[in-house]
Amino acid sequence: TSAASPAAAPAAAAAAGSKAPYCAQAPSSMVGSALKLPAGRQVTSLDGPVSVCAYLGKYEILVRFQVGENTSEFSQSRTSLVSLHQSVSGVGGLGDQAYFATAGSGQRASNTLAALKGTIAIFVTAPTPLATERSLMAQLLAKL
């Protein structure tokens, strides 16, 4: 039962592919390098079709993969962010559809770049600008 605990060797679980297999495609080294931020140890969670890859450290960095997403659901997630008073704009050239959302400002800003490719949506959340998150998203989409 110790293997089921998140604290017990998450790297081994991720390597085995049993827990959030998509997170293996977004290692801390790649994420930190693309975002130009220190990304600490990856902690993963899997909830049905959603794999969340969180990176420990000073900055809140998340990469979320959602499988079985269709264009209607993806558009709805964008619309829900607008209703939460986030600034949302469309982004061209990434996957089938993409948008960039900003919450907060200054040091407390958190930006999310979302892209849909086929039936997989990827969400990158970090305190970094669109150009920086686009670099990481392009690498992640290339692995799908």
Side-chain angles (χ1 to χ4, degrees), residues 37-113:
L37 289 176
R41 185 171 63 86
Q42 184 189 76
V43 178
T44 64
S45 63
L46 185 59
D47 183 11
V50 180
S51 297
V52 177
C53 331
Y55 303 87
L56 302 180
K58 178 179 177 184
Y59 301 98
E60 182 181 4
I61 302 171
L62 297 171
V63 176
R64 182 166 52 104
F65 294 88
Q66 202 155 318
V67 296
E69 185 93 347
N70 63 39
T71 53
S72 172
E73 291 164 330
F74 188 75
S75 295
Q76 183 56 47
S77 68
R78 176 181 174 162
T79 303
S80 68
L81 290 176
V82 173
S83 69
L84 294 171
H85 306 290
Q86 292 193 27
S87 166
V88 181
S89 56
V91 175
L94 288 174
D96 302 327
Q97 287 184 42
Y99 63 84
F100 185 69
T102 301
S105 61
Q107 292 292 325
R108 301 220 178 275
S110 177
N111 300 318
T112 299
L113 176 58

